[in-house]
Amino acid sequence: MTEQHEQHARPHRFERGTDGPKVILVGVDGSESSLRAAAYAGGLARRQHALLAVVYVQPVLAAGAALGAPVADTTEEIAEDLIRQIREAAERVKGIFEVRWEFHTFRGDPYNGLVRAAGELKADAVVVGASEQAGHRIVGSVAVRLVKAGRWPVTVVP
């Protein structure tokens, strides 16, 4: 005896993240853990056929600027170096596997910059490296704050 299930025709409503991620956001800052996070996110994006949105949040350091430090120049150099590293990594795997990726720069503190980036880029998932700063054990890392926000699945790469 077979059981038959009737499917009632309902209009399909898209829900973010229900069909797998279409946009995977990874935060990079040049640290070893952020570069490992980028590699991990690249693998996820490849397997999911998703867009990899690589995001660098340029810190806004008003105090440094007030002291005459070339903060903007330094953060631009970091962004350019990150783009170079990502392009080199993409070139190394070209022909082996392809990943669609974009590089974006946002300004602000890392947490708010990543939240803004995830919203504007319509990210379905966020990948970040584990904090390498001792003070974050007390105050809370960007990763912990992203998880607590509860807006996206968050993967923290050690």
Side-chain angles (χ1 to χ4, degrees), residues 85-144:
Q85 289 180 51
I86 294 162
R87 282 195 177 120
E88 286 173 1
E91 199 58 39
R92 282 193 301 271
V93 298
K94 197 171 192 162
I96 300 169
F97 64 84
E98 299 292 325
V99 176
R100 292 181 306 123
W101 63 277
E102 300 174 347
F103 184 86
H104 300 271
T105 301
F106 287 79
R107 290 187 165 274
D109 68 274
Y111 171 75
N112 287 310
L114 289 174
V115 166
R116 194 170 117 231
E120 288 183 21
L121 300 172
K122 296 181 177 35
D124 296 300
V126 176
V127 179
V128 292
S131 175
E132 295 178 349
Q133 296 181 14
H136 285 171
R137 291 184 197 129
I138 299 164
V139 178
S141 69
V142 171
V144 169

Side-chain angles (χ1 to χ4, degrees), residues 17 19-26 38-54 97-102 121-127:
D19 294 331
K22 299 292 180 217
V23 177
I24 297 173
L25 182 144
V26 61
Y40 182 85
L44 286 177
R46 177 184 58 83
R47 289 186 296 280
Q48 295 290 330
H49 305 289
L51 172 66
L52 177 63
V54 181
F97 64 84
E98 299 292 325
V99 176
R100 292 181 306 123
W101 63 277
E102 300 174 347
L121 300 172
K122 296 181 177 35
D124 296 300
V126 176
V127 179

